[in-house]
Amino acid sequence: MAEVTKLIHEYLRHDKKFPHVWCPGCGIGIMLGALIRAIDRTGFSKDEIVMISGIGCTGRLPVYVDFNTLHTTHGRALTFATGVKLAKPSLKVIVIMGDGDAVAIGGNHFIHAARRNIDVTAIILNNSVYGMTGGQFSPTTPYGMKTTTTMYSNVEQAFKISELAITAGAAFVARGTVYHTRGLDSLFERAFMKKGFSVVEVISHCHTQYGRLNRMGTAVEMMEWQRDHAVTVEKAAQMNEEELRDKFKVGVLADRELPVFEDEYGKIRAMSKGTPAK
Amino acid sequence: MKKGIEVSIAASMAAKLARVEVIAAYPITPQTHIVEHLSELVANGELDAAYINVESEHSAMSACCGSSAAGARTFTSTSAQGLELMHEILFIASGMRLPIVMATVNRALSSPLSIWGDHSDVMAARDTGWIMLFCENGQEVVDSIIMAFKIAEDRRVLLPVMVNLDGFSLSHVIEPIEFPSQDEVDRFLPPYSPLYTLHPDKPVTMGAYAMPELYTEAKYAQEMAIVNSRSVVAQAMEEFGKSFGRSYKLVETYNTENADFVFIALGAINENIKTAIDALKEEGKEAGLISLRLFRPFPVEELLTALGNKKRAAVIERVMPGGALNSPLYNEVSSLVHAHNMNLSVQNYILGLGGRDAQPEEFMEIFRTADTKETSKKDMNFTVIGVRA
């Protein structure tokens, strides 16, 4: 307990009014805890970290933490982050988004940040729905599920955020759940230490909107669903397609060395300065 | 018979009564209830329309342009950042002469982030070529949405129409509202019959590249359309009055006949101003209100008539000028006063930003102080009410 209290006093804003805005049972608070523990372990100072968010339930997170923070517009957090990183490459830039923020309104920025492989960490809490605005379907709402805007059933296919990030060119991609809390700590830590665009997709639940409409039970039952449907990358390697049908992989899905944008750009700048003017 | 109903829900009921065929929208507070209820109506089979839930407001307005160009009666709704994200496409809708109707639930713009009401969103979009109506109460919202389609689709107009209602202070309140029957609305608003539409048998091009020798003429034709739409809006309001028994005017007045002093304002705030005017009357003082229901095109003649030979006016706005000499409505009133050599002293007051209440007492105070203010010696003419140093 003492350790927890120390972290709270160190990283949460003392002047902020608690309790936070999230519903009782929400996974965002669990993710916030994991974030703070991971940052503490990496040894970054609070002033070295910039936490940037857009809009939505998850977008509220930086409001509560004592780092440099930017609360921006819906979907654009990664573009603000790109500006911060290029202006001050020494800063550790962490972007916090929800699924609507990251892959709907900000989807284009997400794939291009990955393609560019800029040294920014994107943390995406995926709860399959727009929670704050009333439970509308998002690009990660699975086919066939109910939301307030798909009252019969969702007819669109869902994005797989991690797979999208891998294909788009991110150097590091991992997926965890808020059920596997301690696992999240280490995924975050590895993502922060990775040079290049790192993505951690956090599978969470919205029992208030999505869970209620789809009769998935309480927050605890939805977390048990995460437990029962997550398989580690190692275990998945030994399973066949049929066994993996209704499962999702957790753990590090990609970890590769790729040219990092600001390094490459720095080289060009150095070269251009060294070239005599015509 | 009147029904007690949330104004947002009433707005969606009005869109249903107008038999909209396509709705494309993205959730944003405080607009969400409108499109959410429409999606329910579509899902329940009560409204035969295509509901497109897109990935951003930019896509919402783009999809609306597509469906309107294909000849469908199209509706959407947004607020604040959503309207600004649509900004690029707002010009496309008006330039292509697409009669889309949008309910804009007015909200403050970020940053700092605020979900509460003011007019910074609509004022940033005021010159996009859309016809703009402002509503004071829920009944006006319902009636305006029905009228908006009539105006937009009129072949003398063919322009998009924005119906503005204040976020929360109007959108989220429950008011007694009278709904016309479907038959009555059908008689008032016949099915949309587009002049030009995208069709494989009779192909047309919309929004094509215009070289310098054509662009000016295209924009001039569009400008004439919006300027001339003023009489069509007035006509639609008159016809609405005959059909439904509730008459509206481009510019409404309240107690102006007895007063030398008038407030000029837009939106739901006007009901508080009327309360202030009533209270002043009890003190034996006379103030009037000029309420602009139509903001674009600017109702020049009607405003001049309403102003008559008033001595003093206070223009009340819920938006910061952003570096301009004064706030937008003031600037227009001021240029009118100048162009017509009117002997009218006009003051500019800014209040109600980001959801801050504007109480009748504040308007009473404005009335009391407006008289004594020195204006010419100040660099900035506007006064922000209630700002803490």
Side-chain angles (χ1 to χ4, degrees):
Chain A
M1 273 311 282
E3 184 63 20
V4 172
T5 312
K6 204 186 99 212
L7 291 178
I8 288 171
H9 280 271
E10 176 68 11
Y11 293 106
L12 295 189
R13 285 189 191 180
H14 295 196
D15 57 349
K16 201 65 212 168
K17 213 161 87 179
F18 281 91
H20 50 62
V21 295
W22 303 308
C23 304
C26 180
I28 302 175
I30 299 173
M31 182 176 82
L32 172 61
L35 266 172
I36 287 171
R37 288 189 297 273
I39 287 169
D40 190 61
R41 272 162 37 181
T42 56
F44 285 110
S45 79
K46 288 196 289 188
D47 290 343
E48 283 176 292
I49 289 177
V50 185
M51 205 168 263
I52 303 177
S53 76
I55 297 293
C57 295
T58 310
R60 289 286 295 185
L61 189 144
V63 171
Y64 303 107
V65 290
D66 188 18
F67 303 113
N68 302 291
T69 59
L70 269 182
H71 199 176
T72 72
T73 56
H74 198 20
R76 316 297 156 200
L78 276 169
T79 56
F80 283 84
T82 302
V84 170
K85 189 66 190 177
L86 286 182
K88 275 210 183 302
S90 59
L91 291 170
K92 182 72 211 165
V93 181
I94 301 169
V95 176
I96 312 287
M97 297 174 281
D99 43 292
D101 215 12
V103 293
I105 194 165
N108 199 31
H109 303 312
F110 180 62
I111 55 175
H112 287 284
R115 178 183 63 79
R116 211 170 268 142
N117 199 34
I118 189 164
D119 185 24
V120 164
T121 299
I123 290 170
I124 303 162
L125 183 124
N126 181 1
N127 61 6
S128 310
V129 81
Y130 285 86
M132 186 173 269
T133 48
Q136 297 83 5
F137 83 90
S138 90
T140 61
T141 304
Y143 175 85
M145 301 304 276
K146 280 186 189 173
T147 68
T148 53
T149 41
T150 54
M151 289 305 283
Y152 289 115
S153 135
N154 178 22
V155 297
E156 297 181 15
Q157 299 295 325
F159 266 140
K160 292 176 178 168
I161 294 177
S162 293
E163 284 75 3
L164 181 65
I166 294 168
T167 309
F172 179 90
V173 181
R175 187 191 281 123
T177 81
V178 290
Y179 175 85
H180 304 88
T181 313
R182 288 290 174 180
L184 268 190
D185 294 18
S186 56
L187 294 178
F188 286 157
E189 195 182 341
R190 283 185 66 179
F192 297 151
M193 301 311 286
K194 179 71 185 182
K195 183 88 171 146
F197 192 61
S198 54
V199 177
V200 183
E201 179 186 3
V202 181
I203 303 293
S204 187
H205 50 276
C206 179
H207 52 294
T208 308
Q209 307 281 8
Y210 183 76
R212 184 173 51 81
L213 280 168
N214 292 291
R215 299 178 190 280
M216 293 174 79
T218 61
V220 173
E221 286 168 293
M222 290 184 80
M223 288 178 76
E224 285 167 353
W225 181 93
Q226 293 161 23
R227 176 195 64 196
D228 298 339
H229 290 78
V231 288
T232 60
V233 174
E234 297 76 22
K235 196 177 167 196
Q238 290 154 21
M239 292 165 73
N240 63 36
E241 211 172 298
E242 184 55 35
E243 290 167 322
L244 283 169
R245 188 179 292 277
D246 67 338
K247 302 285 193 292
F248 59 89
K249 290 182 210 171
V250 291
V252 176
L253 306 172
D255 186 358
R256 47 197 177 175
E257 300 309 316
L258 297 167
V260 176
F261 178 71
E262 60 270 32
D263 293 349
E264 297 299 312
Y265 189 63
K267 282 185 212 163
I268 296 287
R269 288 185 70 180
M271 196 176 74
S272 68
K273 281 177 188 164
T275 311
K278 282 179 188 170
Chain B
M1 199 187 77
K2 287 190 177 181
K3 186 178 170 185
I5 189 169
E6 185 191 312
V7 172
S8 290
I9 306 299
S12 51
M13 299 294 286
K16 174 182 177 282
L17 282 168
R19 293 190 187 276
V20 296
E21 294 164 302
V22 175
I23 302 136
Y26 189 77
I28 185 168
T29 305
Q31 160 277 143
T32 309
H33 289 184
I34 296 178
V35 292
E36 200 171 86
H37 190 64
L38 280 168
S39 85
E40 278 171 23
L41 293 171
V42 172
N44 295 342
E46 292 173 56
L47 173 61
D48 184 16
Y51 185 94
I52 316 170
N53 208 347
V54 288
E55 67 285 343
S56 77
E57 287 87 356
H58 192 275
S59 307
M61 187 44 67
S62 302
C64 284
C65 286
S67 74
S68 185
R73 185 170 282 166
T74 304
F75 180 79
T76 187
S77 180
T78 194
S79 293
Q81 309 303 128
L83 184 66
E84 302 326 316
L85 189 53
M86 284 179 178
H87 199 85
E88 179 190 19
I89 315 301
L90 295 178
F91 288 91
I92 305 291
S94 57
M96 286 188 184
R97 312 287 300 273
L98 300 170
I100 298 160
V101 171
M102 170 156 66
T104 302
V105 184
N106 303 127
R107 163 186 149 180
L109 287 179
S110 205
S111 99
L113 177 58
S114 166
I115 59 164
W116 305 100
D118 72 25
H119 288 169
S120 50
D121 55 359
V122 56
M123 285 304 159
R126 68 187 183 276
D127 299 328
T128 51
W130 283 56
I131 293 170
M132 291 186 180
L133 303 170
F134 278 81
C135 302
E136 284 181 23
N137 56 50
Q139 188 68 59
E140 285 192 27
V141 172
V142 168
D143 296 348
S144 298
I145 288 172
I146 295 167
M147 278 188 273
F149 283 103
K150 180 96 169 170
I151 297 160
E153 294 169 3
D154 190 299
R155 289 195 172 182
R156 293 166 291 174
V157 178
L158 292 176
L159 285 169
V161 179
M162 189 184 291
V163 177
N164 289 281
L165 60 149
D166 288 278
F168 294 108
S169 56
L170 185 50
S171 66
H172 282 54
V173 296
I174 291 170
E175 291 193 357
I177 292 172
E178 193 168 305
F179 287 91
S181 73
Q182 187 65 63
D183 283 349
E184 288 172 312
V185 176
D186 288 347
R187 276 197 296 278
F188 177 75
L189 184 65
Y192 174 38
S193 153
L195 187 60
Y196 294 108
T197 179
L198 299 178
H199 196 281
D201 297 340
K202 265 179 81 179
V204 291
T205 296
M206 297 187 187
Y209 188 61
M211 293 292 282
E213 55 265 37
L214 269 180
Y215 186 85
T216 304
E217 283 67 27
K219 294 315 277 186
Y220 183 77
Q222 184 190 333
E223 197 63 27
M224 287 305 102
I226 191 164
V227 168
N228 295 332
S229 72
R230 211 175 79 214
S231 58
V232 181
V233 179
Q235 216 176 315
M237 286 176 175
E238 202 186 318
E239 200 180 320
F240 188 91
K242 281 181 193 149
S243 304
F244 303 99
R246 283 183 299 279
S247 34
Y248 294 102
K249 285 184 283 194
L250 306 189
V251 171
E252 306 274 356
T253 56
Y254 185 77
N255 197 47
T256 49
E257 57 283 355
N258 307 315
D260 283 335
F261 174 97
V262 286
F263 293 98
I264 306 175
L266 299 162
I269 210 171
N270 287 342
E271 300 219 326
N272 284 12
I273 297 178
K274 286 177 193 170
T275 306
I277 289 171
D278 293 346
L280 286 166
K281 212 182 207 8
E282 280 177 26
E283 295 176 11
K285 299 182 179 101
E286 297 292 348
L289 167 68
I290 297 177
S291 164
L292 272 64
R293 297 202 71 257
L294 180 71
F295 179 64
R296 286 286 183 268
F298 199 73
V300 177
E301 297 301 326
E302 292 77 8
L303 183 56
L304 281 174
T305 307
L307 283 170
N309 45 14
K310 301 293 171 221
K311 297 284 180 290
R312 290 177 295 136
V315 176
I316 312 289
E317 287 203 77
R318 300 184 69 188
V319 58
M320 277 293 181
L325 188 58
N326 276 296
S327 57
L329 178 58
Y330 179 94
N331 287 340
E332 311 231 2
V333 172
S334 176
S335 65
L336 204 66
V337 167
H338 178 74
H340 293 265
N341 283 324
M342 294 161 75
N343 184 23
L344 175 70
S345 155
V346 193
Q347 305 285 328
N348 190 193
Y349 294 92
I350 291 165
L351 46 62
L353 299 185
R356 188 175 290 185
D357 272 350
Q359 297 291 347
E361 293 72 33
E362 286 168 299
F363 299 112
M364 292 167 76
E365 190 56 29
I366 286 172
F367 171 80
R368 291 185 192 111
T369 57
D371 204 17
T372 58
K373 273 179 72 74
E374 294 266 341
T375 59
S376 55
K377 290 171 193 164
K378 283 195 168 186
D379 288 328
M380 285 197 295
N381 213 359
F382 63 89
T383 306
V384 182
I385 301 292
V387 68
R388 293 192 301 273

